[in-house]
Amino acid sequence: MGGNSVVRILLTGGSGTLGRHILKSGLFKNVTAPSHHQMDVTKQESVEMFFAENDFDAVIHCAALARVSECEQQPEKAIAANATGTCNLAAAVIKKERKRNKSIRFVHISTDAVYECTKGNYNEGDATIPYNKYGWTKLCAEAAVNLLTNFCIIRTRFFDPENIKYDSYATDTHSSQIQASELVKAIATLLENGFVGVINVGGEKVSDYDAYKRLKPSIKPCKLKDIQAKVSFKLPEDATLDTTLWKKIEKRHREKA
Ligand SMILES: NC(=O)c1ccc[n+]([C@@H]2O[C@H](COP(=O)([O-])OP(=O)(O)OC[C@H]3O[C@@H](n4cnc5c(N)ncnc54)[C@H](OP(=O)(O)O)[C@@H]3O)[C@@H](O)[C@H]2O)c1
């Protein structure tokens, strides 16, 4: 990355979808990406040991239990990975900052699922009323990140164009989802940028079907109710984001570059 104050980066969840895109992007230099085994975020001792043995100026926190169905079936695992894991990291960051007398930039990857996802066009000040267990655990994670001084919480949704799993997608569920590579660029910008707080990052309103059809023309259209009938947990109707703040920051960043 081209920034000057942020140099060494700790990346959690480096083996995951987003983590892999971050590592292969070439936008970030000097990244340490411990495996789950090397630093288990659910275990305070593991996090503290890793923090004691390694130094860095910034954290990009991608580690999570991100599969919605698994969070529904095993909420205790979701609490551990998403809520407790982020609490452990936040506490370790605070201790390290105190010891070094220097702040650590913390970029946290959150989700559009902290919103109710019914009416759409949510802005950062709207109520956060998650519609599923995953969203609640991610909201809990956000609470811990808010205790830091130099943090940026990114609420988003992304997909990997090389891993479009299903053969049919709904035409009547909408979001602001973007490709993982686009999100990686936003993370690079927000890591460098001094913005502190919560920010929605996404693209234009798109149905799941339209988002994937462009990349996998064989996809068939279906309705949200068809998918909803097959699962026991609630699915989002409209998760679109108001990204006015992000567009403003991105524009300013481009003009400065
Ligand atoms: N995917 C989406 O559409 C989406 C949308 C919005 C936000 N997000 C958020 O974006 C972030 C990245 O998502 P993703 O799709 O890249 O997730 P992913 O592919 O499921 O990867 C999750 C990563 O977290 C690691 N991890 C899980 N538990 C851990 C633990 N206890 N200690 C250390 N590492 C652990 C995993 O390592 P192992 O595989 O080795 O366990 C893996 O590297 C997450 O915070 C997610 O909530 C995702």
Side-chain angles (χ1 to χ4, degrees):
M1 53 177 285
N4 37 35
S5 55
V6 174
V7 186
R8 296 157 299 176
I9 299 165
L10 166 62
L11 170 68
T12 72
S15 65
T17 305
L18 184 58
R20 288 196 310 272
H21 276 85
I22 287 174
L23 288 169
K24 77 170 187 204
S25 71
L27 291 173
F28 306 85
K29 306 270 182 299
N30 217 343
V31 181
T32 304
S35 66
H36 186 151
H37 174 71
Q38 287 168 312
M39 185 182 73
D40 182 344
V41 296
T42 67
K43 299 196 169 79
Q44 195 183 357
E45 325 79 70
S46 173
V47 173
E48 286 191 348
M49 195 181 294
F50 191 86
F51 271 57
E53 289 170 358
N54 296 275
D55 209 8
F56 36 81
D57 310 290
V59 179
I60 304 175
H61 180 32
C62 296
L65 190 65
R67 282 178 298 275
V68 170
S69 56
E70 212 176 326
C71 293
E72 291 294 326
Q73 283 151 16
Q74 293 178 283
E76 71 283 11
K77 270 177 77 177
I79 292 170
N82 301 349
T84 309
T86 307
C87 288
N88 285 338
L89 277 176
V93 165
I94 290 167
K95 280 190 205 164
K96 200 173 187 70
E97 286 180 327
R98 196 175 293 140
K99 204 166 159 199
R100 294 183 353 157
N101 198 22
K102 198 172 158 211
S103 89
I104 292 173
R105 180 81 171 147
F106 195 97
V107 175
H108 174 69
I109 312 305
S110 190
T111 167
D112 59 15
V114 297
Y115 297 117
E116 203 173 9
C117 294
T118 49
K119 71 176 176 63
N121 198 31
Y122 294 98
N123 73 50
E124 293 84 354
D126 279 336
T128 44
I129 312 169
Y131 61 91
N132 62 14
K133 292 189 170 109
Y134 167 69
W136 279 110
T137 59
K138 294 293 286 185
L139 186 59
C140 191
E142 285 195 11
V145 177
N146 268 282
L147 301 180
L148 302 174
T149 48
N150 187 6
F151 71 90
C152 177
I153 293 171
I154 299 177
R155 292 182 181 153
T156 190
R157 187 191 297 205
F158 66 89
F159 66 97
D160 181 350
E162 275 158 33
N163 189 19
I164 298 172
K165 289 187 196 137
Y166 305 105
D167 294 326
S168 65
Y169 280 92
T171 53
D172 56 349
T173 176
H174 294 87
S175 74
S176 302
Q177 62 179 313
I178 48 175
Q179 294 196 18
S181 55
E182 288 303 307
L183 177 58
V184 171
K185 286 186 214 156
I187 293 170
T189 300
L190 289 164
L191 188 68
E192 266 180 42
N193 190 281
F195 171 80
V196 172
V198 177
I199 188 162
N200 291 336
V201 171
E204 296 309 313
K205 176 173 180 167
V206 68
S207 73
D208 283 358
Y209 172 74
D210 285 332
Y212 302 131
K213 174 85 181 162
R214 292 171 201 156
L215 298 150
K216 191 175 170 183
S218 62
I219 278 172
K220 304 266 178 300
C222 67
K223 294 289 179 195
L224 181 60
K225 66 174 173 40
D226 302 327
I227 309 172
Q228 186 66 78
K230 292 182 200 153
V231 296
S232 57
F233 50 88
K234 194 171 180 294
L235 296 171
E237 294 152 49
D238 191 338
T240 51
L241 302 171
D242 175 346
T243 58
T244 307
L245 176 60
W246 163 237
K247 283 183 191 141
K248 212 184 286 175
I249 289 181
E250 190 193 25
K251 184 167 179 275
R252 227 183 292 140
H253 185 83
R254 259 190 283 115
E255 286 165 357
K256 260 174 62 185

